[in-house]
Amino acid sequence: MTLGNNAPKLEEVVSNIIHSGIEITGQALTMPKIVSGEIFDRLIKPVFLPKLPFQYRREIKVALYMFKYINISGSLPSSMEFLRDTIGMEEHPDVSGVIYSNVKNILENELLKASV
């Protein structure tokens, strides 16, 4: 599902994730620095990526693959009209609420994995 021009920007999504994490865990979290793809590719990736354990490198490579869909200029066309017309789905009015629920579920699942 895409929201077209109503989609939140990357900085807004990251900010919502950080604020959700603070509210859920009570831990102090800070907003990460978001750098351009060019800076990452020229300075960060060649220096730090090779030094990481294989599992982390693999996960970062998957994230980098997905990042090309997040870091685009402009908006993807909205699929809401199609979804509304075909299955009656309405746009979720509270994107930050959806992010909060996802962060909470992720943290709860990680706690469950850690306790096993």
Side-chain angles (χ1 to χ4, degrees):
M1 175 175 77
T2 58
L3 297 176
N5 291 330
N6 294 328
K9 303 292 182 235
L10 177 61
E11 290 83 4
E12 183 182 344
V13 172
V14 173
S15 177
N16 275 303
I17 291 169
I18 295 296
H19 287 93
S20 296
I22 292 169
E23 189 174 326
I24 293 165
T25 66
Q27 295 180 11
L29 303 171
T30 57
M31 182 77 170
K33 173 108 172 108
I34 298 175
V35 298
S36 72
E38 179 184 353
I39 289 174
F40 180 83
D41 286 339
R42 288 186 331 129
L43 302 175
I44 297 170
K45 186 176 175 181
V47 174
F48 295 103
L49 198 60
K51 300 200 181 327
L52 293 173
F54 173 76
Q55 178 183 353
Y56 293 129
R57 284 196 316 265
R58 185 181 64 206
E59 290 174 8
I60 289 172
K61 286 180 182 180
V62 169
L64 289 171
Y65 176 78
M66 298 305 291
F67 186 71
K68 68 183 175 182
Y69 298 106
I70 295 171
N71 193 33
I72 60 172
S73 59
S75 300
L76 295 171
S78 176
S79 59
M80 289 313 304
E81 183 178 337
F82 170 77
L83 293 171
R84 183 177 46 252
D85 294 346
T86 57
I87 62 172
M89 181 178 186
E90 294 296 326
E91 182 175 331
H92 197 290
D94 183 18
V95 174
S96 61
V98 172
I99 292 172
Y100 178 90
S101 295
N102 287 333
V103 170
K104 186 171 185 190
N105 287 331
I106 290 168
L107 291 172
E108 288 172 352
N109 285 330
E110 288 301 315
L111 288 174
L112 286 174
K113 286 180 194 176
S115 67
V116 175

